[in-house]
Amino acid sequence: MKQNEIAIVMAAGLGTRMRPLTETIAKPLIPVCGIPMIETGINALIKRGVSKIYIVAGYKKEQFEYLKQKYENVELIENKEYLEKNNISSLKAAAHLLGNENCFICEADLYIKDDSIFLPELNQSCYFGKFIEGYSDDWVFEMENNRIVNIKKEGNSLFNMAGISYWLKDDAAQIAKALSAAYKEPEHGKLFWDEIVNRVLDKINVGVHPVNTGKIIELDTVEDLHLLYSSL
């Protein structure tokens, strides 16, 4: 077990693009191939040996309670601001953990098709990234000398955000400091947490850990779910 690693799993959102399914079930708990999406991530983190997994829940938070009984190293954190603020609020709910240990930050609505992606030794803070040829309207990374220098929406032939990142504890502490400062701004509720990272890229060394597109599958809509099943 890697005693120096924890994970924060962001699971508080409404999942509006996955309606009508999310009217009755929290999006990360939608089963894919017989297992809730979030559990594909939990099992992969456990396989790596992460010592503690913190799930930040908001919408239908009570539906996540069973995970504490099923997995002994899972703990729930409530995001009480999820209705009013963007996902900056989920990281703020877990901000007390940042800087204590090396840390994964993961989205909960991912289908981890190959859990070996979590096994490599990671010696640098990094985002897991999928290289997309041509235009992408997703979150992308601009790089210089193997270092991320800008995180933005839209770009051409760049690494795309894959929903998983890894932070050395000193870098996570810098993010926590910037998060606290951002919360003093009147419009902070509109921010994504990755925009906070973007503010401290000059203070931390963040790279991209490349992953194959098919190994992490982001499921945003019911159509994405249908496409996944049709490809199996």
Side-chain angles (χ1 to χ4, degrees), residues 79-165:
N79 174 2
K80 296 179 179 180
E81 301 179 301
Y82 75 95
L83 281 174
E84 296 83 34
K85 298 180 182 180
N86 217 324
N87 71 5
I88 185 178
S89 61
S90 284
L91 195 60
K92 186 67 166 64
H96 60 287
L97 302 169
L98 297 173
N100 296 337
E101 307 289 351
N102 294 347
C103 177
F104 282 97
I105 301 177
C106 308
E107 294 175 14
D109 53 355
L110 303 172
Y111 174 53
I112 308 299
K113 194 173 182 182
D114 180 359
D115 57 17
S116 70
I117 63 167
F118 279 94
L119 297 181
E121 199 66 33
L122 300 169
N123 300 310
Q124 175 193 15
S125 295
C126 58
Y127 277 92
F128 285 38
K130 298 184 274 192
F131 191 82
I132 304 296
E133 289 282 359
Y135 174 77
S136 169
D137 62 358
D138 207 343
W139 288 91
V140 297
F141 306 115
E142 291 182 336
M143 310 281 295
E144 286 180 12
N145 300 318
N146 296 317
R147 179 174 176 167
I148 297 174
V149 295
N150 191 28
I151 302 170
K152 64 174 188 173
K153 287 281 278 186
E154 302 184 46
N156 285 288
S157 297
L158 296 169
F159 278 103
N160 282 223
M161 197 176 284
I164 298 168
S165 58

Side-chain angles (χ1 to χ4, degrees), residues 28-29 35-36 38-39 42 61-71 74 76:
L29 298 176
I35 181 170
I38 194 171
E39 290 195 54
I42 291 171
K61 65 182 187 298
E62 69 283 352
Q63 294 185 353
F64 294 89
E65 286 288 332
Y66 81 95
L67 293 169
K68 293 191 299 184
Q69 280 70 52
K70 187 170 182 178
Y71 302 98
V74 164
L76 299 187

